[in-house]
Amino acid sequence: MKARLIFLIRYFAFWLCAFIMARFVFLLYQHNQSFSLTFTTWLATFWHGLKLDLSTAGYFTLLPALVITLTTFSNYKPAYVLLKVYTFLMIVVFLLITLVDLEAYKYWGTRLDSAPLRFLSKPKETLASSSAITIIVYTAAFIGLTWLMIRLYTKTVASSLKDSKPARWTGLLLFAFITGLLILPIRGGLGVSPINTGSVYFSKTAFANHAAINVIWNFGHSLAEGKESENQYVFSNRDDYDAALRKLYQYQPDPARMLKTRRPNIVLIIMESFSAKLIEPLGGTTGVTPRFNTLCKEGLLFSNIYSTDSRTDKGLATVISGYPVLEAIPILRYPEKTQHLPFV
């Protein structure tokens, strides 16, 4: 049982170290931008990026933990063979995404997601911007790093399994518990909201935030969310759309004014789950919101207004950015897009 426990700890640490090294290589490769950052900011990218690194390591360790649990009463060979094949596949996926991201970031300015998958049917166009020498170097790096990582895994991680013997019921319970415990790093803790790409953002410099992102997590998240799906919101032809848009933006020389001050100091207070059913001037229950009722009498109350959506992550984008709600794509889940939106 001890040997299998050591294996799981080493397996998790193996991938965590791989992700940290990948970030270091990313910073070196993007030296045109990273060398302008302070040493403290460099360290901060690793510290804040640790959240997604732990989450990704948790995902990668989930299947091995399950295999160890299911093979508790057998010898080491079934788990050893299965996990060697699985780890080889994960190493290939890890290196492919990491290496492609290094080059793609120079052109796109965002970490790699599922968008390139749309161009796999046209490999000639996909590789058009890459020189022959770049492709050769990357191929050599991929082969060399694959060999190195498999060797490291075999010598430092998988070797601990060879010392394992069939465990008892206590081992089964322990490994089942560990498998369930992986949900903590995967979700980023016990909070209501799970971890997301924006969880690692810490700087006003976009590149520093991008460097903190775990590209494997980012790629997998974009695949799971399906954010590169077709536009589902085309309801009219282009000419009708352009005509309607011109009417919307017609200049009004004398707009209606509601405030006496030309440049007022406006404080925007956003309250979650604050229902109109509680507000007496809107037909709600009497006496529940006496202070708010006073504000309704003293100020302007908009009584003919509709919610953009029923969820916070969609409504907030509308309130602070004026961004319309798209049912399948809550924009706040994609920091690489929200950083380009205007905000009040």
Side-chain angles (χ1 to χ4, degrees):
M1 183 173 74
K2 182 180 177 181
R4 297 177 188 232
L5 181 60
I6 291 173
F7 167 80
L8 285 178
I9 294 172
R10 288 182 179 179
Y11 196 89
F12 188 91
F14 171 79
W15 283 115
L16 187 60
C17 291
F19 301 145
I20 292 172
M21 283 301 301
R23 178 171 296 106
F24 183 68
V25 171
F26 176 82
L27 286 165
L28 291 179
Y29 196 84
Q30 311 297 340
H31 57 87
N32 288 337
Q33 297 187 69
S34 64
F35 283 11
S36 63
L37 301 176
T38 64
F39 179 68
T40 305
T41 305
W42 269 57
L43 293 179
T45 64
F46 289 93
W47 174 250
H48 290 276
L50 192 61
K51 298 175 185 177
L52 288 183
D53 293 342
L54 289 169
S55 178
T56 313
Y59 276 115
F60 275 36
T61 310
L62 193 59
L63 183 60
L66 185 60
V67 169
I68 292 296
T69 303
L70 296 177
T71 59
T72 301
F73 301 116
S74 65
N75 60 34
Y76 78 92
K77 288 185 178 180
Y80 182 87
V81 174
L82 282 172
L83 295 181
K84 192 167 187 179
V85 174
Y86 166 78
T87 304
F88 171 75
L89 293 175
M90 290 297 100
I91 287 173
V92 169
V93 170
F94 165 70
L95 289 176
L96 276 176
I97 295 174
T98 301
L99 292 174
V100 171
D101 174 66
L102 290 178
E103 188 68 12
Y105 187 84
K106 293 196 303 184
Y107 300 100
W108 293 359
T110 58
R111 301 307 295 270
L112 190 70
D113 56 19
S114 62
L117 297 180
R118 294 178 296 168
F119 308 114
L120 291 182
S121 60
K122 300 177 180 179
K124 185 178 180 181
E125 287 80 356
T126 303
L127 299 174
S129 59
S130 299
S131 64
I133 188 65
T134 300
I135 296 173
I136 292 171
V137 170
Y138 269 71
T139 302
F142 173 74
I143 295 171
L145 289 171
T146 300
W147 175 83
L148 179 61
M149 289 191 69
I150 290 174
R151 187 169 178 81
L152 281 172
Y153 166 76
T154 304
K155 295 292 184 182
T156 62
V157 182
S159 58
S160 59
L161 264 184
K162 292 184 177 181
D163 299 326
S164 66
K165 298 176 182 179
R168 299 178 180 178
W169 283 102
T170 52
L172 177 65
L173 294 174
L174 174 64
F175 295 129
F177 175 74
I178 291 173
T179 303
L181 201 62
L182 286 172
I183 196 66
L184 292 179
I186 286 174
R187 290 191 79 258
L190 295 171
V192 176
S193 178
I195 196 170
N196 58 66
T197 311
S199 300
V200 301
Y201 280 23
F202 69 96
S203 173
K204 293 181 179 180
T205 304
F207 175 78
N209 293 327
H210 293 167
I213 296 172
N214 183 301
V215 68
I216 309 300
W217 194 97
N218 192 61
F219 187 87
H221 177 69
S222 66
L223 276 179
E225 291 290 336
K227 70 180 193 179
E228 296 299 333
S229 57
E230 274 184 54
N231 185 353
Q232 305 173 33
Y233 304 99
V234 179
F235 300 110
S236 60
N237 61 51
R238 185 74 189 184
D239 292 338
D240 292 341
Y241 165 78
D242 288 339
L245 197 61
R246 281 194 296 271
K247 289 181 180 178
L248 182 64
Y249 284 98
Q250 283 180 350
Y251 176 67
Q252 296 181 357
D254 233 356
R257 294 191 179 277
M258 296 182 292
L259 303 175
K260 297 178 181 178
T261 308
R262 187 169 185 80
R263 293 182 62 83
N265 178 31
I266 298 176
V267 178
L268 189 63
I269 300 173
I270 304 173
M271 294 185 286
E272 189 172 14
S273 302
F274 189 63
S275 173
K277 294 178 181 178
L278 303 176
I279 303 171
E280 187 177 346
L282 294 178
T285 307
T286 304
V288 177
T289 57
R291 303 298 183 190
F292 195 85
N293 295 349
T294 303
L295 290 176
C296 292
K297 296 175 182 177
E298 295 176 352
L300 294 170
L301 176 65
F302 295 90
S303 57
N304 189 23
I305 192 168
Y306 295 88
S307 171
T308 53
D309 200 82
S310 59
R311 305 294 300 177
T312 301
D313 59 351
K314 297 176 184 177
L316 278 176
T318 304
V319 174
I320 63 179
S321 182
Y323 190 84
V325 170
L326 305 179
E327 186 58 34
I329 311 175
I331 194 69
L332 290 185
R333 295 186 186 179
Y334 308 108
E336 73 275 16
K337 296 185 183 296
T338 54
Q339 67 184 7
H340 299 296
L341 294 178
F343 291 100
V344 295

